[in-house]
Amino acid sequence: MSTTRKSLIYLTGFMGSGKSTVGPILANTLGYSHIDIDEEVERVAGKKVSEIFHDHGEACFRKIEHQVLEDVSRTALRVISLGGGTITVPSNLTIAKSTGIVIYLKTDVDHIFRRMKHKADRPLLRTGEGVPLSDQELLKRINDILEVREQFYNQADITIDTNDRRVGVTVDDIVRALAGRIE
C-alpha cells in the first residue's frame, strides 16, 4: 500500500499547547519554512488578533483567517501553526486535511490553565469587556471551549501529547510520527 506524501504540516491544538513554539523548531528540523496563522492574520489585517476580535468580532477574524489559510495551503514545504479555533470551521478543517498532515498537540486543561493564566492577549479568555477572568472562571472557560473543540482536534492525522514534555522531545516525537509521510 502506498502512502501519499504531503509537504504541508498543520499544527493544531488549544491555546497554550505549543503550536507557535514547536512550529519554527519543527520547520527548522525538517528544512521547511514556518508560518503562524495568527501572525499572518495580524500582518494582513494590520491589527492584533485581540483588536480584530474587539473591533470587528470573531466572525471577521475567522473570515480573514480562512483567506490566509487558503493562501498558505497553496504553498509547499511548510509547517503551519494554526490558531486554536482554526479547524473548528469545517471548511478550514477540510483545507488542512486535504492539503497536508494535521498534528494535534494535545494538552490537558490543567496544563493549559497554567500556561494561559497570565496571558493578556487571548480574547477568548477574557470577559466581553476585556477584563481578565478569575482563576475559577478561566478554568471553566478553558474546559468549556476545549470540550467543544476536541471533536475537531481529534480528526487530526497524528496526536502528540505535550503535557510535561520539553519542546525538543515533542519535536522528536513529531518527526518520528511523520517518517515516510512527508516529502
Side-chain angles (χ1 to χ4, degrees):
M1 179 173 115
S2 70
T3 303
T4 302
R5 292 174 185 253
K6 296 186 176 181
S7 68
L8 292 177
I9 298 163
Y10 296 94
L11 299 179
T12 192
F14 202 79
M15 352 175 185
S17 63
K19 301 176 302 287
S20 296
T21 302
V22 168
I25 298 167
L26 177 62
N28 186 55
T29 301
L30 298 173
Y32 282 23
S33 61
H34 173 259
I35 189 164
D36 185 292
I37 290 291
D38 285 347
E39 290 176 5
E40 190 63 12
V41 165
E42 290 179 347
R43 187 189 68 73
V44 168
K47 291 183 173 189
K48 294 274 187 201
V49 169
S50 57
E51 293 171 331
I52 298 168
F53 266 77
H54 180 267
D55 296 347
H56 308 287
E58 185 175 358
C60 177
F61 169 79
R62 295 291 174 209
K63 183 177 178 184
I64 299 167
E65 179 184 59
H66 177 77
Q67 186 58 55
V68 167
L69 182 62
E70 276 190 331
D71 294 345
V72 170
S73 72
R74 294 185 190 104
T75 63
L77 302 175
R78 196 171 257 183
V79 173
I80 301 154
S81 296
L82 299 172
T86 305
I87 66 168
T88 65
V89 176
S91 58
N92 290 345
L93 178 59
T94 299
I95 289 170
K97 294 278 291 174
S98 65
T99 62
I101 298 169
V102 180
I103 300 172
Y104 172 24
L105 300 182
K106 186 176 177 91
T107 311
D108 68 31
V109 173
D110 291 332
H111 283 86
I112 293 167
F113 173 76
R114 286 198 303 268
R115 294 174 186 174
M116 302 310 299
K117 185 176 177 175
H118 300 291
K119 296 280 185 178
D121 62 340
R122 307 297 171 121
L124 293 178
L125 300 182
R126 300 175 84 70
T127 66
E129 296 77 41
V131 177
L133 299 171
S134 70
D135 285 359
Q136 186 176 4
E137 291 169 324
L138 179 58
L139 200 53
K140 182 179 180 344
R141 175 80 54 91
I142 291 168
N143 200 46
D144 290 349
I145 295 171
L146 186 59
E147 194 173 297
V148 170
R149 291 181 177 180
E150 194 95 62
Q151 64 183 312
F152 299 100
Y153 296 153
N154 285 333
Q155 294 181 53
D157 302 298
I158 297 168
T159 298
I160 302 290
D161 183 338
T162 66
N163 293 320
D164 296 321
R165 311 278 312 239
R166 291 188 328 274
V167 173
V169 173
T170 299
V171 170
D172 290 347
D173 288 347
I174 294 170
V175 169
R176 276 192 293 282
L178 288 171
R181 299 174 78 166
I182 59 174
E183 292 181 2

